[in-house]
């Protein structure tokens, strides 16, 4: 079904989907003002997301079904939790949160590794109508502090450490440091202890998860409005201030359920493996909420695609747990291919249960796509989406309308997303022509209604560029068959190993080095990670410096402030940066030149010789 704009058809279509989930009060209105006065889907519906994901399945006689398979090669642990067992833990944690005074509408930050307690925490918040904000464990204290200040949680849930291949990441001291840096000081911390690491606890503030759970009662789910927020998930924008994407309860539940059937072709009871992290949107939607709301088994994997212990890790999981659908970032398959190009590891496993590989988070290059198709012999589905939308904007909808695939394309817009390509003036371009990808308003259920406590920023970031349309921030085109090709970001956002990061923020951090006059950080192609940042810097006149020392200071600052995942390793020193006559740095031109793409030097360039100088310096340093 093709739905365009907000018409009777759109309203009727989404209203026809409401019986997918059990409501406490069914909505009678498809789209309109919710409790916050902003537009939401199903605004007068009442429900509870934790009830949908847990109690409902138990009431339907599926309590013994496996909800979570936790597989952690890094700690050599494997556990299964039935829906009964998961509900029991969630009821207790909800009770604990309630006893700490966490009420409906309060915020809770969750800073945890990939352990079942992270999911329990999320669902416990949902149960009492508290709004969780999960912060990816790879973020440094500064990033965590920025999020604490923005969403002002009453309480933080954490764990003593995460495990990265062979090293430990001590989360609790990182949280302590973040709480030292932040202006907002959460009242309480709940800590899930992991073995063999002593953690310093602050009396009166820090409490032990296990002790609290031992004496906890059970908390029933509280009714919330479909328009009430379920969670906030921060994502990188163009500046150092991340955007707090808000997800409401009602639209999200419908979108999650609908997508499991129509996009991923899942049936309740089957096994879904999203190899991401609960700190990212893929983790929220497809490790936690969608599989559980839909009654599937979700695999919670605390490991990497390679090195834990080898490039056969995903195949082992598929065989061991009968995985039907695997969802990961293309970078994972690039890493597997690099270590095992002939697919020798695969021959050790029986992966006949696997029906699909879905890829998202960054562009899938045709080489990786072809290799994965050839190796796995199942459909490889590249689909395109963002933290903001919470589910796929464009995909091959394997459960409802499978189409022949085209390498490099995310196939066609998903039902409910009216995708257009506009030029700078807002005119629709012809098929085959490139432009800015936008979505005609309103966005379908599940997409962000606003940014946390900052609706103005929501409007200026996404809606004001083209009135009536949501600006995705990606460029692309439709081919002659209506297939959508994503060409990459049109702003200062890059994707490093599927992690969305802001080069604008990196430039702000580079500028903190006292020797730096100005800089440009750009994302350049990387064989495994898709993109990695490269800093091109100009030092202040008269500064006597050791380039090596400045480079190491800059890379250290980025690690300290954003986290090791940013992977900024190279700094190029130049005398001047290439600019237009109006002073705009030619970041895009430089990126294209470095990546060997076709480029056009803008006619407004101030001094072409500077561009040549800079490219020479870059080539010398990175030797491409
Ligand atoms: N907590 C703390 N630190 C983390 C972390 C986490 N959750 N995840 C990564 N890091 C650290 C790593 O330890 C590493 O630190 P180091 O520089 O001190 O060694 C750094 O961040 C970079 O790690 P990573 O991005 O994982 O690179 P890698 O070279 O170790 O591994 C891949 C490469 C491709 C195997 C890996 O990036 C990967 O598994 N990517 C998939 C990512 C993904 O699922 N994205 C979700 C999008 S859907
Ligand atoms: P995130 O919000 O972290 O999910 O990142 C969203 C961004 O990742 C998008 O705006 C795109 O730039 C990129 N992205 C996600 N999926 C794809 C895809 N299938 N192809 C190309 N880019 C993608």
């Amino acid at each position: 079904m093709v739905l365009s704009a907000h018409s009777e058809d759109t309203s009727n279509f989404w209203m026809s989907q409401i019986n997918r989930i059990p409501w406490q009060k069914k909505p009678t209105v498809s789209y309109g003002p919710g409790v916050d006065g902003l537009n939401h889907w199903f605004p007068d519906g009442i429900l509870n997301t934790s009830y949908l994901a847990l109690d409902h399945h138990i009431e339907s006689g599926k309590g013994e079904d496996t909800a979570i398979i936790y597989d952690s090669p890094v700690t050599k642990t494997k556990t299964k939790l039935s829906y009964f067992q998961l509900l029991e833990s969630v009821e207790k944690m909800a009770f604990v949160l309630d006893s700490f005074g966490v009420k409906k509408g309060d915020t809770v930050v969750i800073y945890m590794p990939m352990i079942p307690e992270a999911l329990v925490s999320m669902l416990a918040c949902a149960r009492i109508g508290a709004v969780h904000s999960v912060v990816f464990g790879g973020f440094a204290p500064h990033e965590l502090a920025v999020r604490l200040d923005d969403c002002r949680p009453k309480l933080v849930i954490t764990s003593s450490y995460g495990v990265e291949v062979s090293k430990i990441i001590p989360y609790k001291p990182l949280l302590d440091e973040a709480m030292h840096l932040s202006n907002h000081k959460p009242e309480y911390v709940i800590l899930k202890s992991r073995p063999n690491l002593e953690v310093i606890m602050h009396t009166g503030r820090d409490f032990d998860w296990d002790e609290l759970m031992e004496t906890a009662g059970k908390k029933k789910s509280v009714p919330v409005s479909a328009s009430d927020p379920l969670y906030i998930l921060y994502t990188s924008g163009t500046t150092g201030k991340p955007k707090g994407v808000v997800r409401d309860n009602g639209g999200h539940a419908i979108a999650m359920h609908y997508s499991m059937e129509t996009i991923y072709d899942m049936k309740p009871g089957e096994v879904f493996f999203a190899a991401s992290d609960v700190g990212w949107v893929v983790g929220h939607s497809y490790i936690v909420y969608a599989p559980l709301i839909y009654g599937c088994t979700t695999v919670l994997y605390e490991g990497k695609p390679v090195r834990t212990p080898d490039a056969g890790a995903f195949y082992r999981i598929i065989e061991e747990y009968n995985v039907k659908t695997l969802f990961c970032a293309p970078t994972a398959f690039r890493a597997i291919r690099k270590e095992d190009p002939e697919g020798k590891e695969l021959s050790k496993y029986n992966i006949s249960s696997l029906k699909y590989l879905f890829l998202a988070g960054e562009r899938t290059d045709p080489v990786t796509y072809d290799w994965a198709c050839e190796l796995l012999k199942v459909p490889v589905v590249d689909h395109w989406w963002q933290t903001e939308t919470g589910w796929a904007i464009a995909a091959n909808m394997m459960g409802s309308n499978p189409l022949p695939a085209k390498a490099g394309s995310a196939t066609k817009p998903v039902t409910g997303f009216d995708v257009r390509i506009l030029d700078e003036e807002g005119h629709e371009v012809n098929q085959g022509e490139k432009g800015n990808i936008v979505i005609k308003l309103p966005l379908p259920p599940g997409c962000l209604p606003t940014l946390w406590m900052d609706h103005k920023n929501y409007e200026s970031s996404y809606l004001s560029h083209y009135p009536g349309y949501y600006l995705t921030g990606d460029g692309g085109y439709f081919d002659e068959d209506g297939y959508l090709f994503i060409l990459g970001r049109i702003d200062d956002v890059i994707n490093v190993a599927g992690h969305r990061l802001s080069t604008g923020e990196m430039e702000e951090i580079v500028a903190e080095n006292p020797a730096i006059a100005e800089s440009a950080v750009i994302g350049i192609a990387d064989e495994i990670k898709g993109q990695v940042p490269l800093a091109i810097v100009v030092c202040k006149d008269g500064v006597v410096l050791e380039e090596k020392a400045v480079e190491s200071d800059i890379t250290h600052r980025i690690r300290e402030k954003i986290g090791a995942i940013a992977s900024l390793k190279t700094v190029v020193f130049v005398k001047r940066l290439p600019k237009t006559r109006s002073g705009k740095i030619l970041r895009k031109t430089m990126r294209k030149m470095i990546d060997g793409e076709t480029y056009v030097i803008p006619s407004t360039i101030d001094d072409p010789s500077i561009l040549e100088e800079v490219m020479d310096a870059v080539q010398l340093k990175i030797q491409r």
Side-chain angles (χ1 to χ4, degrees):
M1 175 167 188
V2 179
L3 296 169
S4 63
H6 195 209
S7 59
E8 269 303 293
D9 277 354
T10 324
S11 296
N12 292 342
F13 175 76
W14 288 116
M15 282 306 274
S16 76
Q17 301 299 314
I18 62 170
N19 290 329
R20 288 180 168 275
I21 56 165
W23 299 84
Q24 292 183 25
K25 178 183 168 285
K26 269 195 192 174
T28 58
V29 178
S30 63
Y31 189 72
V35 285
D36 54 3
L38 304 170
N39 283 331
H40 293 262
W41 286 95
F42 321 119
D44 63 340
I46 307 278
L47 76 169
N48 182 284
T49 297
S50 137
Y51 174 87
L52 308 181
L54 299 168
D55 312 56
H56 172 58
H57 302 307
I58 289 161
E59 287 165 15
S60 317
K62 294 181 183 154
E64 301 290 355
D65 287 9
T66 303
I68 301 176
I69 296 170
Y70 168 55
D71 187 301
S72 169
V74 291
T75 59
K76 303 200 174 12
T77 316
K78 293 177 187 180
T79 349
K80 288 186 183 180
L81 285 179
S82 68
Y83 274 95
F84 268 136
Q85 290 167 316
L86 181 58
L87 173 64
E88 200 188 350
S89 298
V90 171
E91 281 175 321
K92 284 186 176 179
M93 188 34 64
F95 179 94
V96 168
L97 294 176
D98 184 64
S99 65
F100 275 104
V102 178
K103 297 272 168 287
K104 178 170 173 283
D106 285 346
T107 53
V108 171
V109 159
I110 300 172
Y111 184 61
M112 291 184 107
M114 289 281 285
I115 54 176
E117 287 78 4
L119 280 69
V120 170
S121 305
M122 293 165 79
L123 290 160
C125 289
R127 198 158 187 84
I128 59 170
V131 184
H132 62 69
S133 186
V134 183
V135 178
F136 175 59
F139 278 128
H142 163 78
E143 288 291 324
L144 180 54
V146 169
R147 286 154 175 80
L148 292 175
D149 279 336
D150 197 74
C151 75
R152 308 180 62 78
K154 189 174 181 74
L155 183 148
V156 181
I157 309 179
T158 191
S159 178
S160 28
Y161 59 84
V163 188
E164 271 295 295
V165 189
S166 53
K167 69 178 177 227
I168 272 181
I169 311 283
Y171 280 40
K172 177 60 168 51
L174 296 176
L175 171 64
D176 287 342
E177 196 186 330
M179 284 173 69
H180 175 70
L181 293 172
S182 65
N183 293 319
H184 173 77
K185 312 287 178 199
E187 279 174 60
Y188 305 113
V189 172
I190 298 178
L191 175 112
K192 172 65 200 168
S193 255
R194 303 188 87 183
N196 307 322
L197 187 75
E198 275 297 314
V199 170
I200 297 170
M201 299 289 271
H202 296 243
T203 315
R205 190 198 75 179
D206 300 351
F207 295 85
D208 180 77
W209 173 290
D210 293 331
E211 283 174 18
L212 294 168
M213 291 290 265
E214 243 171 55
T215 52
K218 291 180 174 185
K219 180 87 187 146
K220 280 202 172 351
S221 64
V222 305
V224 303
S225 162
S227 64
D228 273 324
L230 170 66
Y231 69 77
I232 308 161
L233 180 55
Y234 287 90
T235 191
S236 299
T238 51
T239 67
K241 188 176 184 299
K243 295 188 163 91
V245 167
V246 172
R247 196 84 59 214
D248 59 15
N249 277 275
H252 171 254
I254 294 293
M256 292 298 97
H257 195 285
Y258 176 78
S259 67
M260 286 300 274
E261 179 185 339
T262 61
I263 299 179
Y264 300 105
D265 190 26
M266 293 297 290
K267 308 246 174 326
E270 293 177 336
V271 183
F272 198 84
F273 174 22
S276 177
D277 188 286
V278 284
W280 303 113
V281 67
V282 174
H284 279 66
S285 293
Y286 294 106
I287 294 176
V288 188
Y289 286 113
L292 296 180
I293 289 172
Y294 196 63
C296 284
T297 298
T298 184
V299 178
L300 178 71
Y301 174 65
E302 191 182 21
K304 299 261 174 184
V306 291
R307 290 178 283 138
T308 56
D310 54 40
F314 282 5
Y315 313 139
R316 173 184 67 79
I317 298 272
I318 294 166
E319 177 186 275
E320 210 165 316
Y321 306 119
N322 262 318
V323 171
K324 175 173 176 183
T325 298
L326 168 61
F327 178 169
C328 64
T331 188
F333 266 85
R334 284 196 296 268
I336 294 171
R337 178 167 162 259
K338 179 153 187 267
E339 297 215 349
D340 179 27
E342 285 153 27
K344 286 189 184 134
E345 287 294 336
L346 183 59
S347 60
K348 299 180 190 163
Y349 301 93
N350 173 359
I351 62 155
S352 57
S353 65
L354 188 74
K355 295 291 172 276
Y356 304 105
L357 168 63
F358 280 84
L359 298 173
E362 43 156 347
R363 181 174 170 268
T364 302
D365 52 289
V367 175
T368 305
Y369 174 85
D370 290 338
W371 182 79
C373 288
E374 177 72 17
L375 183 79
L376 302 177
K377 303 202 168 25
V378 296
V380 175
V381 185
D382 175 12
H383 62 330
W384 169 62
W385 53 298
Q386 317 183 305
T387 305
E388 288 85 344
T389 61
W391 62 301
I393 310 165
N396 202 344
M397 299 183 69
M398 301 312 290
S400 54
N401 182 27
L403 297 167
K406 287 193 189 192
S409 168
T411 316
K412 297 199 176 182
V414 163
T415 307
F417 286 92
D418 184 352
V419 177
R420 313 276 177 103
I421 314 284
L422 303 184
D423 65 17
E424 266 315 311
E425 282 71 48
H427 303 119
E428 259 185 73
V429 304
N430 295 322
Q431 267 180 327
E433 280 177 31
K434 296 167 190 165
N436 295 336
I437 315 182
V438 298
I439 305 167
K440 195 161 184 353
L441 296 175
L443 296 170
C447 299
L448 80 172
T450 188
L451 293 175
W452 184 248
M453 298 291 171
D454 201 356
H455 195 65
K456 262 205 174 119
N457 189 16
Y458 171 66
E459 289 181 333
S460 63
S461 302
Y462 302 105
L463 308 185
S464 64
H465 201 80
Y466 298 116
Y469 296 91
Y470 164 87
L471 182 71
T472 65
D474 282 302
Y477 66 95
F478 280 113
D479 76 359
E480 64 285 1
D481 300 318
Y483 278 57
L484 184 61
F485 287 76
I486 312 299
L487 294 173
R489 298 288 305 190
I490 54 173
D491 55 14
D492 298 333
V493 166
I494 59 172
N495 254 295
V496 180
H499 308 316
R500 176 165 157 184
L501 301 169
S502 162
T503 53
E505 176 179 11
M506 292 186 206
E507 285 179 12
E508 288 169 23
I509 297 170
V510 171
E512 288 169 10
N513 179 299
I516 301 301
E518 61 175 340
S519 75
V521 176
I522 51 179
I524 59 167
D526 179 79
E527 197 192 344
I528 301 295
K529 297 193 178 186
Q531 281 186 307
V532 288
L534 170 81
I536 305 173
V537 304
V538 178
C539 289
K540 286 177 187 157
D541 284 347
V543 173
V544 187
L545 56 95
E546 267 270 352
E547 286 189 357
K548 269 223 158 337
V550 177
E551 179 168 29
S552 110
D553 177 77
I554 287 173
T555 52
H556 181 74
R557 278 174 196 266
I558 298 281
R559 259 182 99 87
E560 284 294 295
K561 286 222 147 166
I562 298 179
I565 48 160
S567 302
L568 189 144
K569 300 221 158 71
T570 314
V571 179
V572 179
F573 293 83
V574 296
K575 294 251 167 337
R576 297 166 297 179
L577 287 171
K579 294 184 184 168
T580 60
R581 283 192 284 278
S582 60
K584 210 167 166 276
I585 299 173
L586 298 177
R587 294 182 179 80
K588 198 160 145 193
T589 314
M590 290 195 284
R591 184 193 64 72
K592 287 189 168 187
M593 290 174 82
I594 297 168
D595 286 350
E597 291 177 18
T598 45
Y599 60 90
V600 179
I601 296 178
S603 55
T604 52
I605 188 166
D606 187 30
D607 179 351
S609 70
I610 299 178
L611 185 58
E612 276 172 40
E613 262 170 47
V614 170
M615 282 305 111
D616 287 346
V618 171
Q619 296 305 342
L620 205 66
K621 182 98 190 204
I622 64 175
Q623 290 178 341
R624 286 213 170 162

